[in-house]
Amino acid sequence: MSDEQTHAHEHEHHHGYISDKARYLRRLSRIEGQVRGISRMVDEDQYCIDILTQISALSSALEGVAVALLDDHLKHCVREAIEAGGDTIDAKLAEASNAIARLVRS
Amino acid sequence: MSDEQTHAHEHEHHHGYISDKARYLRRLSRIEGQVRGISRMVDEDQYCIDILTQISALSSALEGVAVALLDDHLKHCVREAIEAGGDTIDAKLAEASNAIARLVRS
Amino acid sequence: MSDEQTHAHEHEHHHGYISDKARYLRRLSRIEGQVRGISRMVDEDQYCIDILTQISALSSALEGVAVALLDDHLKHCVREAIEAGGDTIDAKLAEASNAIARLVRS
Amino acid sequence: MSDEQTHAHEHEHHHGYISDKARYLRRLSRIEGQVRGISRMVDEDQYCIDILTQISALSSALEGVAVALLDDHLKHCVREAIEAGGDTIDAKLAEASNAIARLVRS
């Protein structure tokens, strides 16, 4: 996994949630650790039920990140789009609704 | 479907799904890669909606692993407990139901 | 809704959860009342967020019934199939796993 | 959190989704019929797995209504609050996020 990305979009616009970026990265890093923990449990033939318990915890952690991102998205991107007015509002709202629908159903 | 398993877990308790261990590990390794991809998207300030799409995909992949583990658990551990008889059956079944409840609700 | 069904399967086998049938029917009757309450809220133009709160509660109630039914199913139908032995076990277990997968994903 | 909403909904508060009210009521009426069908299946001792299949379908129908309500809520209430400006926007957005969180987790 070579993560050497040159972060080349310096001038690009930032997507609102940036203020909390460090917090998101910490949460995701913990989630990555949880996945590795589950791999280890499988590799060590640990008891299925215990593995499932960890997967449920991981799912909840992931939902937490998704819900926080959606919250940030509404508070920043959607709000800004509406405040700016113009014809992208409908598209922005439809996009948010579709993301919500996918999350509710996943 | 030849289920003639010699139930060989004399010295160590193998938990049924072991036959497919390599497959589970591959799936979990892909999931770990998905988490890292999401971290990278956050780090690069990619668009929230795109990140949410990846989180939905990750959730589904995780559910797939959970459902497969539960399936293996029923087919091996629960089945063997029932076939062996004795007073652990109720506990085994309650345990499986609790794991299912956690997954359905997570 | 004419519920006059003649219950014609007198000799058919009963599906395990029957002991608690009255309890299931009460839970489902409460759920039906919840749906009617939600219809009324919509009809009275009540606030979307309050309606969504009721829908979340209804979803949880429904999941509770599903999880209880699955529990009964494992404890009775699946257990009996395994105890009876024979070649229907695999089909029973696959069927239970598929039902679990649908619930986890719905 | 002082939510002093003056917001002139003097006599009656119409909540945006009203245009589609008939459609929501039809969907909810179908859902009520699905609940009654499930009660009947339980009452007739139908096979658990078939009942679970119906519950999964009902859950999906319910999620569909929730997602549609949320979509309408964003498109009307939230959008109007943002366009109107003022200090209720944060409360409205927090409220929407909480509703989403409950749905994703239920």
Side-chain angles (χ1 to χ4, degrees):
Chain A
M1 254 312 122
S2 70
D3 288 69
E4 292 77 12
Q5 259 112 354
T6 38
H7 295 267
H9 34 104
E10 294 94 331
H11 308 100
E12 257 183 34
H13 95 268
H14 286 285
H15 292 293
Y17 58 84
I18 195 79
S19 56
D20 257 341
K21 197 203 265 196
R23 191 159 171 262
Y24 280 114
L25 291 177
R26 274 198 307 279
R27 289 173 85 167
L28 285 164
S29 163
R30 266 200 302 278
I31 284 172
E32 199 186 323
Q34 284 176 281
V35 178
R36 267 198 300 268
I38 291 167
S39 288
R40 197 161 43 238
M41 291 177 87
V42 169
D43 195 39
E44 294 172 356
D45 301 317
Q46 288 190 34
Y47 190 45
C48 330
I49 296 293
D50 296 334
I51 301 176
L52 287 170
T53 301
Q54 294 309 312
I55 291 181
S56 293
L58 175 50
S59 277
S60 296
L62 208 57
E63 277 176 5
V65 171
V67 161
L69 276 171
L70 209 40
D71 181 53
D72 272 340
H73 183 65
L74 292 180
K75 284 188 183 141
H76 298 100
C77 311
V78 173
R79 179 177 182 161
E80 282 163 26
I82 294 173
E83 287 175 342
D87 52 5
T88 61
I89 299 177
D90 290 340
K92 274 271 179 266
L93 288 167
E95 187 187 60
S97 286
N98 289 337
I100 294 166
R102 278 194 301 272
L103 277 177
V104 170
R105 288 179 167 134
S106 76
Chain B
M1 197 113 324
S2 71
D3 286 72
E4 292 77 11
Q5 269 123 349
T6 36
H7 296 267
H9 31 102
E10 297 93 323
H11 308 101
E12 192 189 10
H13 191 53
H14 287 289
H15 291 293
Y17 59 83
I18 194 79
S19 55
D20 257 342
K21 197 203 266 194
R23 191 158 171 262
Y24 280 114
L25 292 176
R26 272 198 308 276
R27 290 173 83 167
L28 286 163
S29 164
R30 266 198 303 274
I31 284 172
E32 199 188 323
Q34 285 176 281
V35 178
R36 266 198 300 268
I38 291 167
S39 289
R40 199 159 44 236
M41 291 177 87
V42 169
D43 196 40
E44 295 173 356
D45 303 317
Q46 289 190 32
Y47 190 45
C48 330
I49 296 292
D50 295 335
I51 301 177
L52 287 170
T53 301
Q54 294 309 312
I55 292 182
S56 293
L58 175 50
S59 277
S60 295
L62 209 55
E63 276 177 6
V65 171
V67 161
L69 276 171
L70 208 41
D71 181 54
D72 271 342
H73 183 65
L74 292 181
K75 284 189 183 142
H76 298 100
C77 310
V78 172
R79 179 176 183 161
E80 283 164 25
I82 293 173
E83 287 175 343
D87 52 6
T88 61
I89 299 176
D90 290 340
K92 274 269 178 268
L93 287 168
E95 188 187 59
S97 286
N98 289 337
I100 293 165
R102 277 194 302 271
L103 277 176
V104 169
R105 287 177 168 137
S106 75
Chain C
M1 240 333 107
S2 69
D3 286 72
E4 292 77 12
Q5 259 111 356
T6 38
H7 293 269
H9 34 103
E10 294 93 329
H11 309 99
E12 256 185 32
H13 98 267
H14 288 283
H15 291 293
Y17 59 84
I18 192 78
S19 56
D20 257 341
K21 197 204 266 193
R23 193 161 168 260
Y24 280 114
L25 291 177
R26 273 197 307 277
R27 290 172 83 167
L28 286 164
S29 163
R30 266 199 302 276
I31 284 171
E32 200 188 320
Q34 285 176 281
V35 178
R36 268 198 300 270
I38 291 166
S39 288
R40 199 162 40 239
M41 292 177 86
V42 169
D43 196 38
E44 294 173 356
D45 301 318
Q46 288 191 33
Y47 190 46
C48 331
I49 295 294
D50 296 333
I51 301 176
L52 287 170
T53 302
Q54 294 309 312
I55 292 181
S56 292
L58 175 51
S59 276
S60 295
L62 208 57
E63 276 177 6
V65 170
V67 161
L69 276 171
L70 209 42
D71 181 53
D72 272 342
H73 183 65
L74 292 180
K75 283 188 184 144
H76 296 101
C77 310
V78 173
R79 180 176 181 162
E80 283 163 26
I82 293 173
E83 286 175 343
D87 51 6
T88 62
I89 299 177
D90 290 339
K92 275 268 178 269
L93 288 167
E95 189 187 57
S97 286
N98 288 337
I100 293 165
R102 277 193 303 271
L103 277 176
V104 169
R105 288 178 168 137
S106 76
Chain D
M1 198 130 305
S2 70
D3 289 74
E4 293 80 8
Q5 284 127 339
T6 32
H7 290 270
H9 30 101
E10 299 92 315
H11 305 102
E12 193 188 9
H13 193 52
H14 284 290
H15 290 294
Y17 58 84
I18 193 80
S19 56
D20 256 342
K21 198 205 266 193
R23 191 160 170 260
Y24 280 115
L25 292 176
R26 273 198 307 277
R27 289 173 84 166
L28 286 163
S29 163
R30 265 199 303 276
I31 283 172
E32 200 188 322
Q34 284 176 282
V35 177
R36 268 200 299 270
I38 291 167
S39 287
R40 200 159 44 236
M41 291 177 86
V42 169
D43 195 39
E44 294 173 357
D45 301 318
Q46 288 190 32
Y47 190 46
C48 330
I49 295 293
D50 295 334
I51 300 176
L52 287 169
T53 302
Q54 294 308 312
I55 292 181
S56 293
L58 175 50
S59 277
S60 296
L62 208 56
E63 277 176 4
V65 170
V67 161
L69 276 171
L70 209 42
D71 180 54
D72 272 341
H73 184 65
L74 292 180
K75 285 189 182 141
H76 298 100
C77 310
V78 172
R79 180 177 181 162
E80 283 163 26
I82 293 173
E83 287 175 341
D87 53 5
T88 62
I89 298 177
D90 289 340
K92 274 270 178 268
L93 287 168
E95 189 187 57
S97 285
N98 288 337
I100 293 166
R102 278 195 302 272
L103 277 176
V104 169
R105 285 176 169 138
S106 74

